[in-house]
Amino acid sequence: MTDILSLSFSIPLSHTPFSIVVNKHKPWIETSYHGVITENMDIVLLDPPLVALDKDAPVPYAGEICAFKIHGLEAPFEAVVLNGTSGEGQLRARGPVDCELQKEYTFIIQAHDCGAGPGGTGGKKSHKAVVHIQVNDVNEFSPVFREAQYQAAVTEGKIYDNILQVEATDQDCSPQYSQICNYQITTSNTPFAIDRNGNIRNTEKLSFDKQQQYEVLVTAFDCGQKRSTESVAVHIDVKPVCKPGWQGWNKRVDYEPGTGSKQLFPKMHLETCGGPLSSVRTMVELQTSHIGKGCDRETYSEKSLQKLCGASSGSTDLLPAPSVSTNWTASLVTDSGRDSDLIFRFDGRQAAKIPDQMVPQNLTDQFTIATWMKHGPTPGLRAEKETLLCNSDKTEMNRHHYSLYVHNCRLVFLLRRDFTQVDTFRPAEFHWKLEQICDKEWHYYVINVEFPVVTLYVDGVTFDPYLVTDDWPIHPSQIDVQLTLGACWQERGGTDSGPYFRGSLSGLTIRPGKIESQKVISCLQACKEGLDINSLESLGKGIKFHFNPAQSILVMEGEDLENMNAALRKVSYINSRQFPTPGIRHLHISTSVQCFGEDTCISIPDIDAVVMVLQPSEPRITIAGVDRLTRPVADLRGPAGLTLFQDLHIISTVTKGDTASHHTGTGYRHRGEIIHNLDYCDILVLGEELRPEQEGLQLQRSTLLGKHLDATNSTSGVDSMSNYEQVIRQVHYHNWHPTQTPDRKFRLTCSELNGRYTSNEFTLEISVLHKSEAGEHVNHMVAPPQYMQVVHHPAMVHSLYPTHGSGVPSAATVVIVICIAALVVVVVLGIYRIHLTHQQEGRSSDTTKEGELDWNDSALNITVNPMELRDEPTSNTGHITIWK
């Protein structure tokens, strides 16, 4: 019985059918937990540790912990039971935790026991505990600057506490790793420093002349001492101390000939350093005094220019180029300068006497004297008269009839009326006091005389005399007069004497009987280069501007600074010459400003620049055509004569650069044809002179109609190459006795711009078929051919003459027929030769008459535009010059 009782006590109570309640208690946990997890880790360190207690322990199941459950929206954690008996658990992350995404988590956790048995039935759960989790940061990001680069500007000579501030950020979530604790300049030897907040300052005064820009590299460190992967560049510009003045302009502007108007200051603006201005006045001056006669002008001869400008005819050029017919200027000092612009320099010791036949006669109440003059102050303490032009007695009394001279920088014109006019007290001396007379610059002077009124034009501007003195007319005399240049003629051993002129003259002319209009005068002295304004209508409101007559000075005024800046950007340079004079033109810009009611105002310094006119492409004038003609005598005797240059062609080409091959860096040059004017063409007979009694060159006057061409010994002009071609093709050569004349050679040359550009020398050779050759030629035309035979017709002969027997003519009959035929041939030849002789005599007579009507030139010297002296091996006889 004892053994039975022992067995019954070894049976567990939970399995006895007599137990009523086994799992009587709930598990117990702390009410709250605080945990820490390092990002990218999975174990949460809880405080206190996660442990659940159950009072039912050690009862199996009821006293054991089977699970911890988390309640919270998307909490990325899970709780696991490490030991069910002790109730120890652990909190883990279900995946990577990123502090940058979420730094803290809060959720609810409960512990569950194992219930009453293996199935967990009747299980109990603890109360709810709050869990706070903090995610610890890892320093995984480097600092990054907010800007790709930084820019700042400082004024030289100053120390700045803060030039600019750089700023970097860090994507880490914690203050330790996300904050920037330090900045550092990595560029060595720079006059800059940076503090921990990123403020950059200069450690010494900066100089614009020494260095205009600095580049500084800066790096950043976070509080975990992690360095930025890339440094940032900081550009610091050093500006000069603000000085009022024009900025944004170039010291040199290149001008390509033929491009029209070119802006001089497309980006210029006025820096006022913040000073308020009430008005701005700017003057732009183009200085061209060193170019030609004061600026770039056409360099044709004076007479050519007068014709181009529509001047009245009949003027006398007193300063022509030296030649056989104009030898009085040969002793003067010439200075052709550039572009064949003929200038005569007088040094106070030389003069020229004008031949009597060249002196303009009958200076009535109307005439014009014009000249270019460059003159400076007279050296020495006592200023003497300097005579430009003087007409005085050759002998005895040495009276001055009229003269033009300079005295004490005053221009004086003397005009003494002669005895043929009214014997009354009349105006005789006219005085002008002008700055231009002694400024050592070129000016164009025109004196228009409409007695008693005398008007002076200087560069197209009229000036009235400030002083007019009267005098008695000159008493009658039979003394001859002498016109002199550079001095007055006085009888002192037959030489000219002072007062001599010191300066330069060009284009001195006298036109009797007429005065020039202001339009013509302006044209004759007009510059072909000057200042211009692009798009006048686009100038801002309130802008006033003014040009001087030569357009070498431009004055602009305005109250609004921006409008003035825009107006100055429109100022341009223009040169209308097809072949301008290359070289430098100086520009001078001066500016004055006014401020609002201030005693002192800013000062704007003057600026100087240059316009570089580039070398134009020089033309090559080419004359082409048939260079040898062989003609019979009849062609030279005919009424039309022989046309010399019927197939003549004149072309002009220039060499041009081509930069089409930019990718190879190479280019090539080619010649292109251009159109321009000519100012003369010469036809010169080479070898033996033409014999005027039997040969000559002729040109119908009608061929010159509608063109600017002349064909006289003293006229010149300007016209197109096509008009020159048309006229030269009409030049005929006549020879009334060709059998006595050798073969002829003619040379043709053409010029543009007074010899600046000349053509090739085109030579034409004329061969004449003389009488023997021509006679053979005619005989072959009128004589029977060698194969021609006399054909006998038996029937005809039979009817005229008796026959013998068989019908064959007798010997006498044959002889008679042959004689008759020979007689007929001789008669026909005689009649033809008589007719030919009369025809040739008639043509020769007609041609002679026509030549006398066309030309009044016994020497057969036809000259068109003799622009310059030509030293030829032959005389002027047979020298034909065609000019515009």
Side-chain angles (χ1 to χ4, degrees):
M1 188 170 177
T2 303
D3 295 335
I4 293 173
L5 287 174
S6 299
L7 289 172
S8 64
F9 282 110
S10 63
I11 298 173
L13 294 177
S14 60
H15 295 284
T16 61
F18 303 102
S19 61
I20 300 174
V21 177
V22 177
N23 191 9
K24 296 191 294 183
H25 300 93
K26 298 178 181 180
W28 177 90
I29 57 177
E30 299 287 345
T31 57
S32 65
Y33 295 90
H34 293 276
V36 175
I37 184 173
T38 301
E39 63 178 343
N40 301 323
M41 305 293 287
D42 58 352
I43 302 299
V44 180
L45 300 178
L46 286 178
D47 182 26
L50 183 58
V51 176
L53 302 177
D54 196 321
K55 292 182 179 182
D56 292 324
V59 178
Y61 299 105
E64 297 177 356
I65 302 302
C66 282
F68 293 97
K69 292 187 177 181
I70 295 175
H71 304 279
L73 296 175
E74 299 180 357
F77 298 97
E78 64 180 0
V80 297
V81 178
L82 298 180
N83 190 326
T85 302
S86 62
E88 184 180 354
Q90 188 179 59
L91 193 61
R92 300 176 181 175
R94 292 200 304 266
V97 179
D98 193 346
C99 178
E100 285 71 40
L101 296 178
Q102 189 168 343
K103 297 180 180 180
E104 294 181 348
Y105 295 89
T106 300
F107 51 87
I108 302 299
I109 191 171
Q110 284 182 308
H112 292 256
D113 60 16
C114 295
T121 57
K124 295 182 181 295
K125 54 186 176 182
S126 68
H127 61 273
K128 296 179 179 179
V130 178
V131 180
H132 296 281
I133 304 295
Q134 179 180 344
V135 181
N136 281 347
D137 189 20
V138 174
N139 196 1
E140 56 185 334
F141 292 100
S142 299
V144 177
F145 287 93
R146 290 188 180 274
E147 304 291 339
Q149 64 177 5
Y150 290 86
Q151 189 81 25
V154 296
T155 301
E156 63 176 343
K158 295 178 62 177
I159 295 293
Y160 290 81
D161 294 332
N162 182 17
I163 297 176
L164 80 160
Q165 183 182 28
V166 298
E167 185 179 3
T169 59
D170 196 310
Q171 296 182 14
D172 289 313
C173 65
S174 64
Q176 179 183 6
Y177 299 139
S178 64
Q179 291 184 356
I180 307 301
C181 283
N182 193 23
Y183 292 93
Q184 182 179 336
I185 294 177
T186 60
T187 305
S188 60
N189 299 323
T190 59
F192 300 98
I194 190 169
D195 61 18
R196 61 183 304 169
N197 294 321
N199 296 310
I200 298 178
R201 61 184 177 85
N202 58 315
T203 58
E204 62 184 53
K205 294 181 180 180
L206 305 178
S207 171
F208 176 81
D209 295 332
K210 180 180 179 181
Q211 190 167 343
Q212 289 82 44
Q213 188 184 68
Y214 292 88
E215 183 180 79
V216 178
L217 297 179
V218 177
T219 189
F221 296 87
D222 61 20
C223 293
Q225 293 302 304
K226 193 174 186 67
R227 179 175 177 170
S228 58
T229 56
E230 293 184 0
S231 298
V232 68
V234 179
H235 297 279
I236 300 176
D237 295 325
V238 180
K239 291 186 176 181
V241 175
C242 186
K243 298 176 183 177
W246 291 105
Q247 297 182 2
W249 54 278
N250 294 324
K251 292 185 177 181
R252 168 173 165 161
V253 179
D254 287 343
Y255 181 80
E256 183 73 29
T259 55
S261 180
K262 181 169 184 177
Q263 285 179 272
L264 297 174
F265 319 110
K267 298 180 180 180
M268 190 167 73
H269 66 278
L270 182 60
E271 175 61 62
T272 63
C273 297
L277 304 180
S278 60
S279 66
V280 179
R281 183 181 186 272
T282 299
M283 182 173 70
V284 182
E285 182 180 1
L286 178 67
Q287 299 172 348
T288 60
S289 59
H290 61 291
I291 302 295
K293 294 195 289 286
C295 67
D296 216 359
R297 294 182 170 93
E298 295 294 1
T299 55
Y300 297 114
S301 70
E302 192 65 27
K303 288 193 175 181
S304 296
L305 290 175
Q306 289 178 359
K307 191 164 188 177
L308 284 176
C309 291
S312 303
S313 59
S315 66
T316 300
D317 188 357
L318 299 181
L319 282 175
S323 67
V324 175
S325 59
T326 58
N327 58 2
W328 67 88
T329 60
S331 62
L332 300 178
V333 178
T334 59
D335 180 11
S336 297
R338 309 180 73 165
D339 301 341
S340 303
D341 203 1
L342 186 59
I343 294 170
F344 292 88
R345 289 192 290 110
F346 294 82
D347 58 5
R349 295 174 296 178
Q350 56 184 174
K353 295 194 312 180
I354 308 299
D356 292 342
Q357 67 272 17
M358 298 301 299
V359 176
Q361 302 298 323
N362 301 323
L363 291 186
T364 61
D365 288 346
Q366 285 190 343
F367 61 93
T368 299
I369 298 177
T371 186
W372 286 95
M373 181 176 73
K374 180 179 181 181
H375 180 263
T378 304
L381 298 177
R382 182 175 178 270
E384 297 181 351
K385 291 182 179 180
E386 299 178 62
T387 304
L388 284 75
L389 179 70
C390 182
N391 191 31
S392 60
D393 291 339
K394 282 189 177 181
T395 59
E396 300 181 14
M397 293 183 284
N398 296 324
R399 297 171 303 174
H400 295 182
H401 295 258
Y402 63 87
S403 66
L404 181 64
Y405 62 90
V406 174
H407 186 213
N408 286 329
C409 292
R410 291 169 174 82
L411 186 66
V412 183
F413 177 61
L414 170 68
L415 179 61
R416 299 285 302 278
R417 313 295 284 173
D418 58 30
F419 66 92
T420 61
Q421 295 156 338
V422 179
D423 189 9
T424 59
F425 209 54
R426 302 298 297 273
E429 275 193 340
F430 304 84
H431 300 250
W432 293 270
K433 184 178 181 180
L434 303 172
E435 294 181 357
Q436 293 92 324
I437 296 173
C438 287
D439 65 359
K440 297 183 180 180
E441 303 289 347
W442 279 105
H443 299 285
Y444 188 54
Y445 298 83
V446 178
I447 296 177
N448 270 351
V449 178
E450 285 184 291
F451 196 82
V453 177
V454 177
T455 305
L456 172 66
Y457 291 83
V458 180
D459 298 332
V461 180
T462 60
F463 294 92
D464 293 326
Y466 80 94
L467 176 64
V468 178
T469 59
D470 296 339
D471 202 347
W472 295 102
I474 295 178
H475 296 292
S477 71
Q478 300 298 321
I479 302 173
D480 293 332
V481 294
Q482 175 64 58
L483 182 60
T484 310
L485 296 178
C488 272
W489 176 264
Q490 296 180 11
E491 188 182 12
R492 293 181 181 176
T495 62
D496 53 81
S497 66
Y500 290 97
F501 177 69
R502 294 176 181 270
S504 297
L505 297 176
S506 179
L508 177 55
T509 60
I510 296 181
R511 179 177 288 103
K514 294 180 181 180
I515 63 172
E516 284 299 356
S517 67
Q518 188 166 5
K519 180 180 179 181
V520 171
I521 294 172
S522 298
C523 174
L524 289 172
Q525 60 86 37
C527 291
K528 295 299 181 179
E529 63 179 339
L531 299 173
D532 194 16
I533 297 179
N534 290 335
S535 183
L536 284 173
E537 61 276 4
S538 66
L539 285 180
K541 294 181 179 179
I543 299 297
K544 301 177 183 179
F545 67 92
H546 171 73
F547 284 102
N548 69 334
Q551 283 195 220
S552 60
I553 297 177
L554 168 63
V555 178
M556 281 188 168
E557 295 183 66
E559 297 179 355
D560 184 81
L561 181 59
E562 289 304 318
N563 285 344
M564 277 294 293
N565 287 335
L568 262 294
R569 295 187 193 111
K570 298 180 183 295
V571 177
S572 60
Y573 169 82
I574 188 171
N575 193 317
S576 60
R577 293 191 68 191
Q578 189 173 11
F579 306 107
T581 303
I584 288 177
R585 276 73 165 164
H586 293 277
L587 286 169
H588 183 76
I589 298 93
S590 58
T591 304
S592 60
V593 298
Q594 291 184 354
C595 299
F596 291 98
E598 297 183 9
D599 295 336
T600 60
C601 197
I602 60 175
S603 177
I604 308 299
D606 295 352
I607 61 175
D608 293 287
V610 296
V611 176
M612 175 59 75
V613 178
L614 304 180
Q615 178 74 38
S617 299
E618 297 195 357
R620 185 171 68 185
I621 305 171
T622 303
I623 303 175
V626 175
D627 58 1
R628 184 179 181 86
L629 295 175
T630 302
R631 292 292 184 270
V633 169
D635 286 1
L636 276 66
R637 288 176 174 174
L642 176 63
T643 303
L644 295 180
F645 306 101
Q646 190 168 5
D647 64 341
L648 176 78
H649 293 283
I650 304 175
I651 63 172
S652 183
T653 57
V654 296
T655 301
K656 299 179 179 179
D658 196 327
T659 55
S661 304
H662 290 292
H663 61 282
T664 62
T666 60
Y668 63 91
R669 299 175 66 82
H670 66 281
R671 297 197 69 84
E673 186 172 347
I674 63 168
I675 302 298
H676 59 76
N677 290 328
L678 299 175
D679 54 10
Y680 70 79
C681 286
D682 278 346
I683 302 175
L684 181 67
V685 178
L686 302 179
E688 183 181 345
E689 299 177 4
L690 292 181
R691 287 172 274 189
E693 69 278 1
Q694 69 180 49
E695 59 181 336
L697 295 173
Q698 294 183 352
L699 179 66
Q700 293 289 342
R701 292 288 183 180
S702 59
T703 61
L704 302 177
L705 297 178
K707 303 177 179 64
H708 296 117
L709 298 177
D710 283 333
T712 65
N713 286 338
S714 59
T715 306
S716 60
V718 179
D719 213 329
S720 65
M721 290 187 292
S722 61
N723 280 348
Y724 266 97
E725 281 185 355
Q726 295 176 25
V727 171
I728 296 174
R729 289 171 183 171
Q730 300 303 317
V731 175
H732 298 270
Y733 170 62
H734 290 261
N735 194 323
W736 297 277
H737 302 286
T739 57
Q740 304 174 10
T741 304
D743 292 347
R744 285 293 185 192
K745 287 185 179 181
F746 299 93
R747 190 183 71 190
L748 173 63
T749 57
C750 295
S751 162
E752 165 64 339
L753 293 176
N754 207 4
R756 178 178 174 185
Y757 304 116
T758 56
S759 71
N760 61 310
E761 295 182 350
F762 177 76
T763 302
L764 172 65
E765 184 175 352
I766 306 296
S767 296
V768 181
L769 293 174
H770 293 288
K771 182 176 180 180
S772 59
E773 298 171 345
E776 292 177 1
H777 180 71
V778 173
N779 289 337
H780 291 164
M781 294 296 293
V782 298
Q786 295 179 0
Y787 59 82
M788 184 175 180
Q789 298 179 1
V790 179
V791 179
H792 303 282
H793 298 277
M796 182 182 298
V797 175
H798 177 72
S799 64
L800 293 175
Y801 304 100
T803 59
H804 299 275
S806 63
V808 176
S810 64
T813 301
V814 173
V815 171
I816 292 173
V817 171
I818 293 174
C819 291
I820 293 174
L823 179 63
V824 170
V825 171
V826 171
V827 171
V828 170
L829 286 175
I831 294 173
Y832 176 80
R833 292 180 64 86
I834 293 172
H835 173 72
L836 181 62
T837 302
H838 283 288
Q839 186 179 31
Q840 291 175 347
E841 292 176 353
R843 289 178 180 176
S844 177
S845 175
D846 293 342
T847 303
T848 304
K849 291 179 180 180
E850 181 180 355
E852 292 173 353
L853 291 175
D854 285 345
W855 304 101
N856 185 16
D857 190 349
S858 60
L860 298 179
N861 179 11
I862 305 170
T863 304
V864 182
N865 191 19
M867 303 297 288
E868 59 184 8
L869 177 64
R870 304 183 183 280
D871 298 325
E872 302 293 348
T874 62
S875 70
N876 285 335
T877 302
H879 178 189
I880 300 180
T881 305
I882 301 175
W883 66 93
K884 297 179 179 179

